[in-house]
Amino acid sequence: MGEVIVVTSGKGGVGKTTTTANIGTGLAALGHKVVLVDADIGLRNLDVVLGLENRIVYDIVDATSGSCRLRQAIIKDKRLEGLHLLPAAQTKDKTAVTPEQMKELCAELKKEFEYVIVDCPAGIEQGFKNAIAGAEKAIVVTTPEVSAVRDADRIIGLLEAAELKEPKLIINRLRARMVKAGDMMSIDDMIDILAIDLLGVVPEDDQVVISTNKGEPVALDEKSLSGQAYRNIVKRIRGEEVPLMDLESESGFFKALRRLIGLK
Amino acid sequence: MLDFISRMFSKENTSKNVAKERLRLVLVHDRANISPQLLHSLKADLIAVISKYMEIDEDALEVNLSSKDTQVALVANIPVKKMKRAVGD
Ligand SMILES: Nc1ncnc2c1ncn2[C@@H]1O[C@H](COP(=O)(O)OP(=O)(O)OP(=O)(O)O)[C@@H](O)[C@H]1O
Ligand SMILES: [Mg+2]
């Protein structure tokens, strides 16, 4: 029996889809059987981030409404054994799937997959309610900005009200230089304010954009800092203890850089 | 020394500290689920109670939630116009 994890944020554009794609890719790279569910109906994105946009025939609405069998709607990645995608419908809206259907869907998927990761739409309305309906665990993504952290706080409250206890936090797009200059909230600041456990920190990284351009998640890029950050997050999801990368102090950053280019 | 103080001072005023303080304040309101209507009726009740004892400037009355460190406080600024004469016994 697998587990169902929803990736959510409240505020739009903070990195839910990027996070979902990279966690899925990272888990599959370690040999796990994973399915990523795009619950952002009407704004399909996860397919392009994964580079699978040309392979879609059926989608989540076809599968839940019975227009096709679930198996037919799931796309198998050709590069990574174990990575699968259940795409969102692009022409329907958030009400095309009900929370009950979502629960059934997740229950079905976790019989076959070790990890079912659901990419949640932005907002707190029906799309959010659907996306969390079948989940047992939740990951909240935020960026180090007042509005994103505020929305994360609201989401944490809603998750807890929905019995999704102890959500874990991912801080995305942290800029070490700005934190050091006192112009960006630090990891500690946000943990202090939100009072939840940290799952990981992903730096602001051009490689994320470059890899998204190509449809190859950055978690597969051995040389990038963000790729390393996602691989660490994946290990923590598997229950391994991995220390946080030192992104905040400049020396740590350069140390990591030196290590990456093999200067030790 | 002066340099040290000014450094301390500038540290206090970094934009991240401003962000953190604003966030803290806004979350106090969010979490307490205090709506403007609720604050409004709280104000009205306060006026009714306090007016029994003193004359206050209702228009200048301010009631807000504020947070310092981990403490949340209800801060009311209620200008007193006149004390009522103690009737005594
Ligand atoms: N660590 C990062 N460094 C640089 N760019 C990033 C990083 N994380 C995400 N981005 C970029 O930010 C943009 C938004 O990311 P993404 O689509 O994952 O957000 P989202 O939360 O899924 O958005 P939506 O709410 O619209 O679904 C993308 O262009 C992505 O490439
Ligand atoms: Mg998205």
Side-chain angles (χ1 to χ4, degrees):
Chain A
M1 229 8 165
E3 59 181 338
V4 185
I5 307 172
V6 62
V7 178
T8 179
S9 71
K11 186 171 159 65
V14 299
K16 295 175 292 296
T17 302
T18 307
T19 302
T20 306
N22 279 291
I23 289 176
T25 300
L27 283 167
L30 293 176
H32 293 287
K33 197 171 177 196
V34 191
V35 63
L36 306 182
V37 179
D38 191 346
D40 200 346
I41 297 170
L43 293 169
R44 180 154 85 197
N45 271 171
L46 192 52
D47 55 339
V48 288
V49 176
L50 290 164
L52 295 174
E53 67 275 16
N54 293 325
R55 309 244 336 260
I56 297 175
V57 182
Y58 298 109
D59 58 47
I60 188 172
V61 176
D62 296 323
T64 49
S65 66
S67 311
C68 74
R69 278 179 293 116
L70 179 53
R71 221 167 256 290
Q72 293 176 291
I74 294 172
I75 299 161
K76 199 172 173 317
D77 188 275
K78 285 186 177 140
R79 298 154 296 186
L80 273 178
E81 176 80 31
L83 184 61
H84 301 75
L85 169 70
L86 178 56
Q90 180 69 333
T91 52
K92 309 273 180 5
D93 67 29
K94 307 281 189 259
T95 57
V97 177
T98 66
E100 287 68 36
Q101 286 175 324
M102 197 64 190
K103 261 186 220 158
E104 268 172 48
L105 176 70
C106 291
E108 203 55 45
L109 288 172
K110 70 178 182 181
K111 286 186 201 157
E112 197 182 326
F113 296 91
E114 291 174 80
Y115 293 95
V116 180
I117 321 254
V118 183
D119 182 18
C120 185
I124 56 174
E125 291 81 22
Q126 198 53 46
F128 166 76
K129 289 177 190 152
N130 283 343
I132 68 167
E136 290 136 3
K137 291 186 180 173
I139 294 172
V140 177
V141 182
T142 189
T143 57
E145 282 164 279
V146 177
S147 53
V149 177
R150 181 193 197 175
D151 289 1
D153 189 77
R154 180 103 166 88
I155 285 291
I156 293 165
L158 292 170
L159 289 170
E160 285 176 347
E163 299 294 313
L164 271 164
K165 304 286 185 213
E166 297 183 13
K168 302 274 188 287
L169 184 71
I170 291 181
I171 298 170
N172 190 22
R173 311 193 76 155
L174 192 84
R175 289 189 240 176
R177 208 174 31 79
M178 289 190 75
V179 173
K180 204 169 177 232
D183 279 326
M184 181 174 270
M185 285 187 284
S186 68
I187 300 169
D188 288 343
D189 291 335
M190 282 174 279
I191 291 298
D192 182 31
I193 284 170
L194 292 175
I196 67 171
D197 289 344
L198 184 66
L199 183 60
V201 181
V202 181
E204 170 79 28
D205 189 352
D206 290 353
Q207 286 304 320
V208 171
V209 179
I210 293 169
S211 65
T212 307
N213 286 343
K214 298 193 246 174
E216 294 165 2
V218 76
L220 296 174
D221 180 355
E222 292 291 333
K223 290 197 282 294
S224 67
L225 267 186
S226 55
Q228 184 61 50
Y230 283 121
R231 289 194 294 278
N232 286 351
I233 287 169
V234 162
K235 287 186 190 152
R236 292 187 197 109
I237 290 174
R238 300 210 305 168
E240 290 173 47
E241 277 203 26
V242 188
L244 272 187
M245 291 196 297
D246 191 1
L247 294 171
E248 290 198 353
S249 73
E250 209 156 8
S251 65
F253 178 76
F254 281 121
K255 227 190 297 164
L257 242 168
R258 273 202 302 278
R259 218 182 307 123
L260 278 168
I261 55 175
L263 281 172
K264 261 270 147 355
Chain B
M1 186 65 196
L2 225 140
D3 179 42
F4 173 72
I5 290 171
S6 77
R7 256 212 323 272
M8 285 271 298
F9 191 70
S10 71
K11 257 270 175 309
E12 281 298 297
N13 280 300
T14 55
S15 73
K16 85 109 182 223
N17 279 333
V18 176
K20 212 178 158 186
E21 205 41 53
R22 289 177 56 216
L23 191 52
R24 222 177 220 137
L25 221 62
V26 84
L27 287 186
V28 168
H29 285 264
D30 287 1
R31 288 177 185 171
N33 211 354
I34 293 267
S35 60
Q37 295 95 297
L38 201 142
L39 268 184
H40 193 78
S41 53
L42 173 63
K43 250 188 201 172
D45 285 355
L46 276 176
I47 291 170
V49 171
I50 296 169
S51 300
K52 282 206 257 176
Y53 304 92
M54 55 197 82
E55 198 175 307
I56 58 177
D57 184 353
E58 294 184 16
D59 295 330
L61 178 138
E62 266 178 46
V63 180
N64 272 305
L65 281 174
S66 97
S67 80
K68 247 225 136 88
D69 298 324
T70 52
Q71 287 255 309
V72 178
L74 182 68
V75 179
N77 188 351
I78 309 169
V80 178
K81 277 187 181 158
K82 211 193 278 172
M83 296 299 288
K84 294 220 162 137
R85 191 170 287 113
V87 182
D89 47 359

